[in-house]
Structure formats: structure tokens, C-alpha cells
Amino acid sequence: MKQEENMIYFVTGNINKFNEISVIFSKANMKYCLQQKDIKTIEIQADTIKEVALFKLNSIKGQINGSYFIEDAGFFIDIPLNGFPGVYSSYVMKTIGNKGLLSLIDDFENTKAHFSTVIALHYKPLDKNFYFEGCVHGKISKTIRGTGGFGFDPIFLPDILPDRTFAEITTEEKNRISHRGKAWNKFINFMKKT
Ligand code: IMP
């Protein structure tokens, strides 16, 4: 196998995402070697993260020799914010952050939220794009808790571990139940069959 066929590139500037994926990758015993590529992608404003992911993937066409993928996630507060911030997650994190989000929902006892993610892969041998999706449901914590993870992790209580936020569990525990972990398992099963 040529060296280039052995490589798979994760196009991201987010080292936290890369680290989460590296943990899964190293345990999956794959023939591929994972590398981070921090190149500029174009992020459009669209209604779904799948549309955002597709555009992002196409925006780097021709710039990488080999198979590559991107990953796009969103955080949705279903009750009481009807899914906000969703596709605006990055902007909301940069502007009001977790503290600002909590202040928006301070008066509500009952909350529901989920993370969704889409991995969009350009698979070079077939010159085709493939998608893998993952989702995890939970609630919003009353306070910001924990020092692990990143982004909205300190305010998300997954239904399956309702006493701890994503920032209070290890990367391995998060990967077992998270949106990204689920999508990555689908991705890895696909890659193992190729
Ligand atoms: P991105 O556009 O996929 O990088 O993510 C959108 C926003 O959601 C960013 O502010 C990220 O920090 C946040 N985010 C993405 N994935 C996660 C996660 O697994 N936990 C917490 N926040 C996340």
C-alpha cells in the first residue's frame, strides 16, 4: 500500500475534537494513520449541520491528496429554546458562552437538550462523499460544572449519566455515549470494511 493510501486526514482546527477522535482511532486497530490538517474551510449559515458539513467538505476539494473528513457538531436546547443555538452554536459559544445560555433558561425547571454531529468523509479510492451521524440526549445543568471536555460540555447532563456533566467524565466515558463517539463508530465500521 502506498503511504498516501495509508493516511486519513481530519481537517479541523479544534485540537479537542482531534484528541477525542485519536483515542477512538488508536483503539480501533485500523490500517489507516490519522493526521490532523488545519486548513481553512468555508462555513456557511444553513438550517442543518448536514448542509454545513457538506459545504465545508466541498470547500476543500482538491487541496488534499488522499481521503479526508471534517466533523460538524451542534448543541440544541429543545426545551425551552426550541433547538437554539443549533447551527449557531459556535457563534453563541464565542459571544454569550455557557454563562449566557444558562441565564436565558434560568427560570425553567424542565429542560431537554441534545448534541448532534455529522462526519463528512471524502473517500478518495471511490472519489465519493459519505456521511455518518450521531446524537446524544440529555438535560441542562443548573450550574457550570467540571473541568474536562470543551465547549458546552460543562452544562450538559447526558440522560444515561444524569448526575454528571460531560465535563465531569473522562474522554473514554464521553466517547462511549457521545454524539461524536456514535458517529465515529459508524465511520470506523465503514473504514474497516473498505
Ligand atoms: P463545531 O462547529 O462543530 O466546531 O462546533 C460548534 C460549537 O459546538 C463549538 O462552539 C464547539 O465548541 C461546540 N461543540 C462541538 N462539539 C462539542 C462537544 O462534544 N461538546 C461540547 N461542545 C461541543
Side-chain angles (χ1 to χ4, degrees):
M1 191 183 266
K2 279 193 284 166
Q3 203 197 358
E4 173 204 301
E5 288 166 4
N6 232 349
M7 302 297 293
I8 184 144
Y9 298 96
F10 183 9
V11 180
T12 182
N14 185 334
I15 192 67
N16 297 298
K17 284 185 177 185
F18 185 75
N19 288 342
E20 281 188 11
I21 296 322
S22 299
V23 171
I24 301 178
F25 231 83
S26 61
K27 290 200 174 132
N29 212 3
M30 312 245 295
K31 63 183 178 189
Y32 297 95
C33 180
L34 181 69
Q35 267 211 0
Q36 183 184 10
K37 272 245 187 234
D38 187 2
I39 56 175
K40 199 155 174 50
T41 57
I42 298 174
E43 186 145 352
I44 54 157
Q45 206 64 69
D47 290 340
T48 65
I49 53 173
K50 195 166 174 184
E51 286 172 78
V52 177
L54 173 62
F55 199 92
K56 212 184 230 186
L57 191 73
N58 286 333
S59 76
I60 47 179
K61 205 176 165 103
Q63 293 183 51
I64 296 174
N65 212 358
S67 295
Y68 55 90
F69 57 88
I70 59 108
E71 189 255 7
D72 224 78
F75 182 55
F76 301 77
I77 301 182
D78 304 302
I79 298 176
L81 299 181
N82 294 325
F84 181 83
V87 291
Y88 306 104
S89 294
S90 283
Y91 184 69
V92 166
M93 180 47 72
K94 275 186 227 137
T95 50
I96 62 171
N98 286 328
K99 204 166 161 219
L101 265 185
L102 287 189
S103 71
L104 293 180
I105 59 174
D106 216 12
D107 294 341
F108 292 82
E109 274 314 310
N110 180 30
T111 58
K112 268 188 199 284
H114 72 275
F115 279 105
S116 272
T117 193
V118 175
I119 298 167
L121 164 73
H122 181 75
Y123 186 59
K124 173 89 173 183
L126 299 177
D127 196 25
K128 261 182 93 167
N129 295 341
F130 294 89
Y131 302 93
F132 310 90
E133 296 181 68
C135 192
V136 58
H137 289 270
K139 291 186 170 30
I140 304 291
S141 164
K142 279 272 167 213
T143 54
I144 294 172
R145 280 170 34 195
T147 51
F150 65 99
F152 303 100
D153 284 346
I155 61 166
F156 182 72
L157 298 163
D159 283 341
I160 202 163
L161 288 173
D163 298 330
R164 286 188 285 164
T165 67
F166 261 1
E168 294 177 309
I169 60 179
T170 63
T171 301
E172 282 84 358
E173 281 174 311
K174 183 179 171 191
N175 281 340
R176 256 199 302 279
I177 60 175
S178 79
H179 50 310
R180 193 165 298 106
K182 288 173 187 165
W184 285 110
N185 283 335
K186 293 178 190 170
F187 172 88
I188 282 168
N189 285 338
F190 170 86
M191 293 304 281
K192 279 190 164 173
K193 283 192 208 130
T194 62

